[in-house]
């Protein structure tokens, strides 16, 4: 997974941090399908994901409204419920406004 | 590493995404020492980190000024330079204001 190619700030970041339960229980398949689905959402800018004991997924959106609309997509609602019931020991969602961005390739 | 116990928003999140070069080259030792040092910084709220091919570290700060002060700490400046020269193939830093937070344990 590469570093996301996001535009000049401001834009919205949704930081999803989680601790998984044991075993896959359909998680891998859902995660792949849901990422595919997110790519097609209006205002989707990019996604970055890593997991060792903790999992962190940051999705980037044009604005808070685009991020909120994604939260309400039917397939995503189903996954959120299954996440609470089965996949996640614990999790936290933080919605944030990116105000500055810098790196060797500029403001990306 | 547990999920960070952050207060009610607003607060500042610094999302650091990176791709490492091959080999450790002193990275592990620096990362551990720098995390120790960050804990003592005024306004430090917490840190979350995960890596597989991509690395994501999110540090949480009371406000933008606290995050900016940490960027200028001497030991951190040395690490930033060494990161650019040796440890990172590519990286991006995004500074963001967390406006909402939710999870099974509340606004954390």
């Amino acid at each position: 997974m590469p570093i996301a190619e996001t535009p000049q700030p401001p834009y919205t970041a949704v930081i999803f941090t989680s601790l998984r339960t044991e075993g896959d229980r359909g998680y891998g398949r859902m995660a792949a399908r849901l990422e595919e689905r997110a790519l097609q959402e209006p205002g989707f800018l990019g996604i970055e994901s890593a997991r060792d004991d903790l999992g962190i997924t940051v999705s980037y959106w044009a604005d808070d409204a685009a991020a909120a609309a994604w939260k309400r997509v039917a397939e995503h609602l189903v996954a959120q419920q299954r996440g609470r019931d089965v996949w996640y020991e614990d999790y936290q969602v933080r919605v944030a406004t990116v105000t500055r961005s810098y790196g060797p390739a500029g403001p990306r």
Side-chain angles (χ1 to χ4, degrees), chain A:
Chain A
M1 170 176 281
I3 294 176
E5 295 289 340
T6 42
Q8 286 273 5
Y11 51 86
T12 296
V14 179
I15 306 163
F16 177 65
T17 311
S18 64
L19 291 166
R20 284 287 318 280
T21 49
E22 293 288 314
D24 185 72
R25 307 199 218 187
Y27 174 81
R29 200 177 49 188
M30 174 285 300
R33 199 168 52 196
L34 215 58
E35 192 175 321
E36 280 281 301
R37 182 68 182 74
L39 302 183
Q40 303 161 27
E41 274 303 291
F44 176 83
L45 300 179
I47 191 164
E48 295 168 344
S49 208
R51 176 174 299 279
D52 29 54
D53 50 335
L54 200 70
I56 305 176
T57 296
V58 189
S59 60
Y60 299 102
W61 300 88
D63 51 35
D64 280 12
W70 168 239
K71 188 177 189 311
R72 294 187 304 264
V73 166
E75 195 170 355
H76 191 196
L77 287 171
V78 172
Q80 287 167 53
Q81 186 60 53
R82 192 135 177 86
R84 284 189 293 269
D85 293 348
V86 178
W87 292 318
Y88 299 120
E89 185 71 37
D90 194 5
Y91 67 89
Q92 196 70 18
V93 180
R94 295 180 176 96
V95 182
T97 306
V98 177
T99 55
R100 284 188 301 135
S101 177
Y102 56 91
R108 175 172 61 188

